[in-house]
Amino acid sequence: MTASARTPELVLGPLLRYVDSTDATVWIEVSAPCEVTIRAGDEVATERTWGVYGHHFAVLHLCHLHEGEETPYSVELDGVPVWPVDAGRPSVICTPCADDTVRLAFGSCRRGESQTPEALREIGADALVALSHRMAYTPRTEWPDAMLLLGDQVYADIPSREISERLAERRDAGQGPQSVRDSAGAGGDRDVSDEICDFEEYSWLYHESWRDPDVRWLLSTVPSCMILDDHDLRDDWNSSYSWRREMTAQPWWRDRVIGAFSSYFVYQHLGNLAPDELEANETYQGLRRASSDAERERLLEDFALSADAERGAVQWSFKRDFGRVRVVMLDVRASRHLDPDDRRVMDAEEWAWTRDACLDAEVDHLVIGSSLPAFMLPALHHVEGWNEAVARHRPDMPVTARLGEWTRRAVDLEHWGAFRNSFDDLVGLLTEVAAGDGRSVPASILLLGGDVHCSYIEEVELTADRVAGSPTRVHQLVMSPFRNPLQKSIRAVNRLSVREPVPALTRRLARAVGVRDPEVRWRVSDGVWFDNGVMTLVLRGRRAMVQVDHARVEWPAWGLGKALALVPGLAPATWGRRSGDDGGRDAQRPGRGGGRRRGGDSLERKPRQVLRRTLTRQLTDVGPPGAGAAARPREQAAGPAGSVV
């Protein structure tokens, strides 16, 4: 064995995950068993790696950090420094200070594949790359305090061309689950031979997505909170009883579940937990205590199967506090209750936890993150309500129900409005929070959503009498995609869904099958936008503001570079990268972000991508709490920007 093979290397990370005023956790993947050390000022944390499926991980807990300080940190493997690789751009831990300003960047849906000119022309600029670039040239006070990644961090069912080639090679070599290889040629949903299925293949997705140098630095410096969505497992995951009955009957389902949940737990969920939650997590502690990789793999396998089959066995939802801001991140995929007589987007246990997390918070702002928007574009919301009413699974399954089920899956009618019991529960919870009933009420309730591959802002008005005088402002903020543009035909549908008479007609359609109006109204105040981008909440005291940024590629030669990118191989991969740009200073250094991708795409050199401000909007009053627009008459809530629901 060569010396290089024995020497552990940093494969992925470091990812800065949890940060409060004195503590932080850092997640790391390495190539071989070793001792990992992180040094942040006077604080030192050391952890032995643990291994599963040939991969090696560590989650390190730094404590006794100084409040309100920016501290650079370094990573060592068996005493050898491996991070940072660029001394001019160190990774830092920024603990919160007494300043009550909180900045939360958020979005969803990101394809992390190639950054070549051809790929950028096809799927657009990467909002995370552009955010990383902006941070390199802006003061620390303007950086996000955290990033909320609202689902579809990876696409297991739509791998990139490069990963598809690796999958084909692996299948031809007789590797991977036998059930997956046997599915080849079965047709339709029965054939998953060209999809990601086990832990090894899922690791390829995370490496592809998070090893880009700009994204890697961003995730090493800005704490991140992540929640899962359907593409973590498969498109339309748990969309209906019929979908689940069909998928779970497939011979490959068991292997897919093990790969999806075990990798999600390791790569995403562990970092969502606070240090005390990590200490109390039986699965994580079992991984650390196990005497062999085989024992750990059996533990993860049992855990994954239980997470899929037993409602309430695992809770993916979690909460974080940032001063007087409470963030509640909701799992609305894995915890679904699909009983045709009582369909819910979250099961009883998860919903009870959600209520407690929202009602026990004495905060200025309550932020509820869900991969799926609670308040959809007007016409689409009514269509989802209609569809749920007609598509209920029952033994006889009349033609209307069959048509409804086909429509549900064909056009992804699976959001909160398609689970009306849960939608009504959510409206009731928002009303309860805004009413207070003896408790102090937040200045705002901000619902964040993704999934739909467009972005918009909605004003939400709770209409129950008990909140008539409440100062709490409610908004739905949807940002999607980070990088995965929507096809043009569906863009047209989304534009129509906010323009009369379409919302009125679909509302009548829903009423005709018994769907009642909820105690809430909402309208699109800004958008709809379709470019890749990111939103940032700026919460200061009882004021709330949102900044909407969309990503652009700075094509060279006045746009000629985009035209040349139409011809494969003609546009150089270094076009748009200027001397001294972040991420390009050490393009020739070995190990800087992982060298080159399969196919020769440089991880260092890519066309320059930037964020352009689309909108800055105040979401709460700038005057004293309870004054101004928050208490305006209900009839003023409607406006020209969108249709009222």
Side-chain angles (χ1 to χ4, degrees):
M1 183 180 292
T2 65
S4 59
R6 292 194 302 268
T7 303
E9 297 178 353
L10 187 60
V11 173
L12 198 59
L15 271 70
L16 181 62
R17 297 303 311 271
Y18 177 92
V19 174
D20 63 19
S21 58
T22 58
D23 292 70
T25 63
V26 179
W27 179 99
I28 282 175
E29 180 182 355
V30 297
S31 63
C34 66
E35 190 172 77
V36 182
T37 300
I38 294 184
R39 301 183 185 276
D42 296 331
E43 179 66 11
V44 179
T46 299
E47 182 83 10
R48 188 73 189 175
T49 61
W50 44 269
V52 288
Y53 303 103
H55 297 258
H56 307 275
F57 305 93
V59 182
L60 292 95
H61 174 204
L62 293 154
C63 49
H64 308 302
L65 298 170
H66 298 292
E67 181 178 358
E69 290 190 3
E70 176 181 322
T71 307
Y73 71 91
S74 61
V75 179
E76 300 172 4
L77 304 183
D78 284 342
V80 178
V82 295
W83 188 272
V85 294
D86 181 359
R89 198 180 189 191
S91 298
V92 298
I93 300 172
C94 300
T95 53
C97 60
D99 178 11
D100 61 357
T101 300
V102 177
R103 295 176 180 269
L104 302 174
F106 66 93
S108 76
C109 307
R110 177 173 175 268
R111 289 168 58 179
E113 58 215 61
S114 171
Q115 300 277 348
T116 62
E118 291 82 1
L120 291 170
R121 177 188 56 79
E122 179 182 352
I123 60 177
D126 188 331
L128 296 192
V129 170
L131 176 59
S132 177
H133 177 82
R134 171 186 280 181
M135 288 172 57
Y137 297 96
T138 55
R140 164 65 190 92
T141 54
E142 297 180 19
W143 291 6
D145 293 297
M147 291 194 61
L148 312 180
L149 307 183
L150 299 173
D152 291 342
Q153 277 70 260
V154 295
Y155 282 77
D157 51 341
I158 316 175
S160 66
R161 182 181 61 185
E162 293 169 0
I163 288 186
S164 293
E165 292 172 356
R166 294 182 68 182
L167 285 173
E169 293 174 4
R170 194 169 191 243
R171 303 284 182 263
D172 291 343
Q175 298 175 342
Q178 183 67 44
S179 64
V180 174
R181 302 200 303 275
D182 290 344
S183 75
D189 287 335
R190 297 186 300 276
D191 184 349
V192 294
S193 59
D194 59 352
E195 298 180 13
I196 299 296
C197 285
D198 64 7
F199 190 99
E200 173 62 25
E201 293 166 5
Y202 269 96
S203 75
W204 299 351
L205 296 180
Y206 289 107
H207 295 173
E208 179 183 63
S209 186
W210 293 349
R211 285 181 67 184
D212 176 276
D214 291 308
V215 175
R216 196 171 191 177
W217 177 81
L218 174 69
L219 294 176
S220 75
T221 297
V222 179
S224 53
C225 307
M226 307 179 187
I227 200 66
L228 73 179
D229 201 15
D230 57 340
H231 291 285
D232 286 89
L233 197 150
R234 202 161 197 265
D235 189 28
D236 298 337
W237 175 23
N238 281 347
S239 58
S240 69
Y241 174 86
S242 296
W243 184 95
R244 183 166 181 84
R245 185 180 63 172
E246 179 182 336
M247 291 299 108
T248 55
Q250 302 302 320
W252 49 260
W253 179 257
R254 184 179 188 276
D255 291 311
R256 183 66 161 264
V257 162
I258 293 171
F261 280 118
S262 60
S263 62
Y264 177 79
F265 179 81
V266 171
Y267 280 92
Q268 296 194 56
H269 185 64
L270 285 178
N272 292 331
L273 303 178
D276 61 332
E277 293 171 328
L278 282 172
E279 288 297 320
N281 189 283
E282 294 182 3
T283 303
Y284 173 59
Q285 294 305 327
L287 293 174
R288 297 178 70 196
R289 291 191 303 265
S291 59
S292 68
D293 289 4
E295 182 181 346
R296 280 184 278 269
E297 290 161 14
R298 287 193 297 271
L299 175 64
L300 273 182
E301 179 178 319
D302 292 342
F303 167 83
L305 293 172
S306 176
D308 175 64
E310 302 174 24
R311 299 280 74 81
V314 178
Q315 179 180 299
W316 300 117
S317 301
F318 63 97
K319 63 185 178 182
R320 290 268 187 97
D321 288 330
F322 300 87
R324 290 191 55 79
V325 176
R326 164 69 57 86
V327 175
V328 182
M329 295 282 277
L330 302 182
D331 162 30
V332 294
R333 280 289 178 186
S335 68
R336 291 184 175 187
H337 184 70
L338 299 176
D339 184 336
D341 295 324
D342 185 26
R343 292 167 35 84
R344 296 182 183 274
V345 78
M346 304 174 73
D347 62 34
E349 293 82 1
E350 203 96 3
W351 179 246
W353 177 90
T354 299
R355 284 184 50 81
D356 290 342
C358 292
L359 291 171
D360 71 358
E362 294 284 336
V363 294
D364 291 326
H365 304 278
L366 175 62
V367 179
I368 302 175
S370 162
S371 62
L372 307 178
F375 298 97
M376 288 286 286
L377 297 174
L380 299 181
H381 171 81
H382 297 314
V383 169
E384 290 197 324
W386 164 83
N387 179 262
E388 182 188 30
V390 302
R392 293 186 185 278
H393 181 88
R394 46 192 182 273
D396 57 329
M397 285 295 281
V399 173
T400 54
R402 294 176 187 273
L403 176 61
E405 175 65 18
W406 178 87
T407 304
R408 184 183 195 86
R409 292 166 64 170
V411 295
D412 293 342
L413 302 178
E414 51 178 343
H415 302 85
W416 285 81
F419 292 80
R420 190 52 187 263
N421 288 336
S422 286
F423 179 81
D424 291 342
D425 286 345
L426 178 65
V427 172
L429 175 59
L430 300 180
T431 300
E432 197 171 346
V433 172
D437 295 335
R439 303 182 305 271
S440 62
V441 299
S444 73
I445 304 174
L446 305 172
L447 297 107
L448 313 184
D451 179 73
V452 293
H453 298 258
C454 64
S455 51
Y456 54 89
I457 299 172
E458 291 175 323
E459 293 181 354
V460 179
E461 180 195 8
L462 303 170
T463 58
D465 290 340
R466 64 190 294 202
V467 293
S470 173
T472 301
R473 298 292 301 276
V474 184
H475 292 270
Q476 171 79 72
L477 310 170
V478 178
M479 173 48 73
S480 172
F482 282 138
R483 191 189 188 212
N484 193 0
L486 192 65
Q487 61 194 74
K488 292 183 179 179
S489 60
I490 303 180
R491 295 185 187 191
V493 171
N494 286 351
R495 290 189 179 101
L496 286 173
S497 72
V498 298
R499 297 179 181 175
E500 295 295 352
V502 177
L505 292 175
T506 55
R507 184 184 185 190
R508 290 182 181 178
L509 180 68
R511 281 182 167 182
V513 293
V515 179
R516 66 190 185 281
D517 290 336
E519 290 188 311
V520 65
R521 294 187 294 188
W522 65 96
R523 73 179 187 102
V524 177
S525 60
D526 301 281
V528 180
W529 303 288
F530 298 98
D531 292 328
N532 301 336
V534 61
M535 283 189 190
T536 303
L537 285 173
V538 183
L539 309 171
R540 181 178 295 114
R542 292 183 67 83
R543 300 183 181 186
M545 178 177 69
V546 64
Q547 298 169 338
V548 182
D549 293 293
H550 288 106
R552 299 286 185 272
V553 179
E554 287 196 342
W555 294 102
W558 301 279
L560 178 61
K562 185 174 183 179
L564 292 179
L566 290 168
V567 182
L570 186 58
T574 56
W575 270 12
R577 181 65 78 183
R578 300 170 182 170
S579 176
D581 278 352
D582 60 289
R585 295 170 184 154
D586 298 304
Q588 305 305 319
R589 280 192 193 179
R592 173 75 162 95
R596 304 181 70 83
R597 298 176 189 261
R598 289 169 61 92
D601 172 26
S602 172
L603 286 172
E604 304 301 334
R605 300 180 175 184
K606 52 184 175 286
R608 178 182 166 95
Q609 300 161 68
V610 298
L611 290 178
R612 300 298 185 200
R613 181 62 44 85
T614 300
L615 177 75
T616 298
R617 188 170 189 267
Q618 292 289 339
L619 302 176
T620 59
D621 304 318
V622 296
R632 67 187 179 191
R634 291 176 184 162
E635 60 268 18
Q636 295 181 18
S643 175
V644 173
V645 175

